[in-house]
Amino acid sequence: MKQDQDLRMIIASHETELTDMERDIAHYFLSSEARQHSLSSSRVTKLLHVSKAALTRFSQKCGFTGYREFVYHFNEEAKEQQHEEEHDDLTLSVLQRYHHVSNVTENFVKDPQLEHVADLIDQADRVYYFGIGSSSLVAREMKVRLMRLGVAGKAVTDQDGFTWTTSILDSSCLVIGFSLSGKTSAITDSLVKAKENGAKTVLVTANPACVHHDFTEVVPAAPLPSNTYIDRISAVLPLLIVVDLIYTHFLSKNRDEKETVFNRYWENKKLSNQRSRKS
């Protein structure tokens, strides 16, 4: 394998030979995330939920003798690109904060907890997502993504909605609240009322130490890496990373069934758009 060949082109030239699992592996190595962490086979297999044999087969299909040679090529290319791609201080400051959030999240989150939240979603008849202010965007995002996998639910983003929704909850329901500070009383108080009515409750927050309620789960997110409000990156970023992690664990449960629902959703949406254009 020539070391001057572009890895993206190498993978593209072998794409038709790859299985769906191997395409997931390819997608990871073509993402920026792969350039920020250790690429040891043990770490990558755990992260992607694949076997070492799958990494070897993927590497060989791309023309390498094995995973070790593939990673060597990957690292050499990353070094060259690092020298070529120089940014000014403003761009670097934002990118560094993004990297910080990613790294802190990696240290905070626990796989068993993510798995438990995924189980709670799987077992609930209906899921409600509570968020206010910027967190309301996260609540809506999670609702839409899980809806496409067949999860019935609603994003609730105002005080009147919290009051009405908590009054109709029972043990078949799950409420997921988002509060980066952990001090948004509209969210925490609503989760307390939801719990009193028998619902399971999950709070995603960057400040779990200040949460003194016995919710079903309190999932930690990374705090924003800035001393001043005006310099902060988007407040939704740490919460959205946690949403992605929960989504991935949920998707892994009966994935074939969820992919069928997902594909059916987009087929119906496409048909609906076609009818709208005709009318």
Side-chain angles (χ1 to χ4, degrees):
M1 179 62 61
K2 295 181 180 179
Q3 291 302 315
D4 58 354
Q5 285 185 276
D6 181 78
L7 189 61
R8 188 175 295 274
M9 296 301 297
I10 292 173
I11 292 176
S13 67
H14 296 279
E15 186 176 2
T16 57
E17 306 167 30
L18 302 179
T19 64
D20 288 342
M21 178 186 294
E22 289 162 354
R23 287 193 179 94
D24 287 341
I25 296 173
H27 179 75
Y28 171 72
F29 282 103
L30 294 177
S31 70
S32 59
E33 180 185 357
R35 301 183 185 277
Q36 301 168 22
H37 303 291
S38 164
L39 296 178
S40 66
S41 58
S42 58
R43 181 188 178 280
V44 174
T45 54
K46 184 178 180 181
L47 178 67
L48 302 183
H49 305 290
V50 299
S51 65
K52 292 184 179 180
L55 291 180
T56 299
R57 288 193 297 270
F58 164 75
S59 302
Q60 291 174 341
K61 284 185 179 180
C62 291
F64 297 91
T65 58
Y67 181 67
R68 181 176 296 182
E69 185 184 14
F70 173 85
V71 169
Y72 175 81
H73 184 103
F74 179 94
N75 288 332
E76 289 299 305
E77 183 175 289
K79 290 178 184 177
E80 292 177 6
Q81 291 178 351
Q82 187 175 11
H83 290 305
E84 295 171 358
E85 299 173 2
E86 295 184 358
H87 301 293
D88 61 31
D89 290 343
L90 294 175
T91 301
L92 285 175
S93 68
V94 174
L95 294 176
Q96 287 167 357
R97 288 172 185 155
Y98 272 45
H99 293 161
H100 173 83
V101 170
S102 177
N103 291 335
V104 172
T105 302
E106 186 173 354
N107 292 329
F108 276 5
V109 296
K110 306 298 181 185
D111 293 343
Q113 185 179 49
L114 297 172
E115 190 73 13
H116 184 215
V117 175
D119 285 334
L120 293 174
I121 297 171
D122 209 31
Q123 295 161 8
D125 288 345
R126 194 167 181 84
V127 183
Y128 294 89
Y129 313 89
F130 284 11
I132 200 166
S134 60
S135 295
S136 67
L137 302 175
V138 183
R140 292 189 179 100
E141 169 70 9
M142 190 172 194
K143 178 257 181 181
V144 169
R145 294 190 69 189
L146 291 178
M147 176 191 69
R148 292 168 181 166
L149 299 183
V151 177
K154 181 180 180 180
V156 186
T157 59
D158 62 84
Q159 185 61 62
D160 288 342
F162 299 149
T163 301
W164 180 84
T165 302
T166 53
S167 69
I168 64 169
L169 298 175
D170 56 34
S171 59
S172 69
C173 300
L174 168 66
V175 179
I176 302 177
F178 298 94
S179 171
L180 198 65
S181 68
K183 300 177 182 179
T184 309
S185 58
I187 300 298
T188 55
D189 291 350
S190 296
L191 261 63
V192 169
K193 292 176 183 177
K195 180 189 172 187
E196 290 173 351
N197 287 338
K200 303 294 189 302
T201 51
V202 174
L203 177 64
V204 182
T205 177
N207 195 9
C210 79
V211 179
H212 304 297
H213 304 290
D214 188 23
F215 299 134
T216 309
E217 289 287 359
V218 176
V219 182
L224 291 174
S226 179
N227 293 326
T228 62
Y229 188 89
I230 196 171
D231 287 331
R232 292 193 323 182
I233 58 176
S234 173
V236 303
L237 177 66
L239 299 176
L240 286 175
I241 292 176
V242 175
V243 168
D244 283 342
L245 292 168
I246 294 172
Y247 177 90
T248 300
H249 280 262
F250 177 73
L251 178 60
S252 70
K253 300 177 182 297
N254 301 316
R255 179 168 182 140
D256 290 343
E257 179 181 327
K258 289 184 173 69
E259 285 184 348
T260 299
V261 173
F262 183 86
N263 292 332
R264 188 183 302 130
Y265 168 85
W266 285 110
E267 288 170 3
N268 291 338
K269 188 175 180 66
K270 183 178 179 181
L271 289 173
S272 177
N273 290 338
Q274 290 173 346
R275 294 192 192 102
S276 297
R277 284 196 294 269
K278 289 178 181 179
S279 61

